[in-house]
Amino acid sequence: MSEFLDVGVIGLGVMGQRMLARLAGHARLRATQVWDADPQAVARTLAAYPQLRAAAGAEALIASSGLHSLYIATPPAPHMALSNLAFDAGLAVFCEKPLTVDFDAARRTIERIEREGQRAAVNFSLASSPGLAALQAAWQEGPQGPIGEAQHVRIELAFAAWPRPWQAAAGAWLSERVEGGFTREVLSHFVFVLQRVLGPAVVRSSRPVYPPDGRSAERSLSARLEAGGIPVEVEARAA
Ligand SMILES: NC(=O)c1ccc[n+]([C@@H]2O[C@H](COP(=O)([O-])OP(=O)(O)OC[C@H]3O[C@@H](n4cnc5c(N)ncnc54)[C@H](O)[C@@H]3O)[C@@H](O)[C@H]2O)c1
């Protein structure tokens, strides 16, 4: 039996390429099959990694024999459908955040994961950061610890440009309201950290401001949340 666990990759844009580069040096995981809706992304990927095979489509990739898991790095809209196809095929799923733009589909999928014991994770990459570990440790020391008694939390995001330059090669979806915007793309990471430390958060109020074109993502957001009984203030904006 091979010492490697074979991973299929769907979505070969900015994040798909980053994951392929990481997998290339991994001791236990190995990318074997890839697919992207854009044939040019597939061609570029095969040129860089000639050992990979391109599937005929997402369903064909997921149904192929020998795969252990699927990494999904498409924009958010297809995440749920692809995850469920992978669960049907017995694969573990590592899905990029945000989980989805369809809350009902997400709730159904989370129930399924819990009911069937499916193996699934969302890539909130701060989960393994030393900063989060330090924050959790300090928080657990309580009022006598370095944080003292927490009165409130403030999360402030300010972008000189949206999308950010390192992700400028991503599709138009990133700057559009339906799937993109910095609230989903970036604030979600800090709400993840907030919930890891303080527990589940609820949104008390939110005021996003959108450009008048009806299509583009938010330019600013003011929101009030509460987590673990502590008020949380969010202020975010793009220049
Ligand atoms: N975890 C993190 O830190 C982090 C950072 C950046 C982005 N992301 C997330 O990763 C995902 C991808 O972001 P990106 O920056 O790589 O975007 P991108 O636009 O660079 O790449 C997306 C790729 O998916 C392909 N695609 C679109 N619809 C598809 C479909 N239905 N089936 C197959 N392929 C499809 C596109 O052709 C494109 O090549 C997003 O959900 C984003 O929010 C996560």
Side-chain angles (χ1 to χ4, degrees), residues 84 87-88 108-116 118:
N84 278 294
F87 296 142
D88 291 345
R108 285 195 301 277
T109 303
I110 291 166
E111 277 168 22
R112 175 184 183 180
I113 290 166
E114 289 172 349
R115 192 174 60 248
E116 299 177 4
Q118 295 288 351

Side-chain angles (χ1 to χ4, degrees), residues 150-232:
Q151 307 288 320
H152 73 275
V153 175
R154 181 175 163 92
I155 302 174
E156 188 171 349
L157 307 178
F159 301 94
W162 185 262
R164 297 157 294 177
W166 70 265
Q167 212 179 358
W173 65 271
L174 193 56
S175 51
E176 293 178 357
R177 188 169 167 175
V178 176
E179 294 182 274
F182 53 70
T183 303
R184 287 192 190 97
E185 193 62 17
V186 181
L187 179 63
S188 58
H189 284 287
F190 296 102
V191 173
F192 169 85
V193 166
L194 180 81
Q195 297 198 104
R196 276 281 161 106
V197 178
L198 298 185
V202 286
V203 179
R204 295 295 182 208
S205 68
S206 69
R207 199 163 47 82
V209 175
Y210 296 102
D213 64 13
R215 187 178 52 82
S216 300
E218 69 279 8
R219 302 305 297 173
S220 69
L221 170 73
S222 297
R224 302 286 174 270
L225 284 66
E226 198 175 305
I230 296 176
V232 179

Side-chain angles (χ1 to χ4, degrees), residues 25-194:
H26 202 279
R28 285 278 287 145
L29 302 174
R30 170 176 69 186
T32 52
Q33 295 213 38
V34 294
W35 191 70
D36 192 291
D38 175 2
Q40 289 185 352
V42 176
R44 277 195 302 271
T45 302
L46 294 184
Y49 300 96
Q51 74 280 15
L52 294 176
R53 277 171 293 139
E59 294 190 18
L61 183 148
I62 289 167
S64 62
S65 64
L67 273 192
H68 294 85
S69 62
L70 177 68
Y71 170 60
I72 303 170
T74 66
H79 286 179
M80 288 298 83
L82 292 171
S83 296
N84 278 294
L85 281 172
F87 296 142
D88 291 345
L91 303 182
V93 171
F94 191 37
C95 183
E96 269 308 337
K97 43 62 54 177
L99 186 56
T100 180
V101 288
D102 180 344
F103 287 3
D104 287 340
R107 288 192 184 98
R108 285 195 301 277
T109 303
I110 291 166
E111 277 168 22
R112 175 184 183 180
I113 290 166
E114 289 172 349
R115 192 174 60 248
E116 299 177 4
Q118 295 288 351
R119 297 161 301 154
V122 177
N123 189 20
F124 278 110
S125 36
L126 292 175
S128 55
S129 73
L132 175 55
L135 187 56
Q136 284 175 308
W139 181 253
Q140 274 157 16
E141 287 186 49
Q144 309 313 321
I147 291 181
E149 185 133 22
Q151 307 288 320
H152 73 275
V153 175
R154 181 175 163 92
I155 302 174
E156 188 171 349
L157 307 178
F159 301 94
W162 185 262
R164 297 157 294 177
W166 70 265
Q167 212 179 358
W173 65 271
L174 193 56
S175 51
E176 293 178 357
R177 188 169 167 175
V178 176
E179 294 182 274
F182 53 70
T183 303
R184 287 192 190 97
E185 193 62 17
V186 181
L187 179 63
S188 58
H189 284 287
F190 296 102
V191 173
F192 169 85
V193 166
L194 180 81

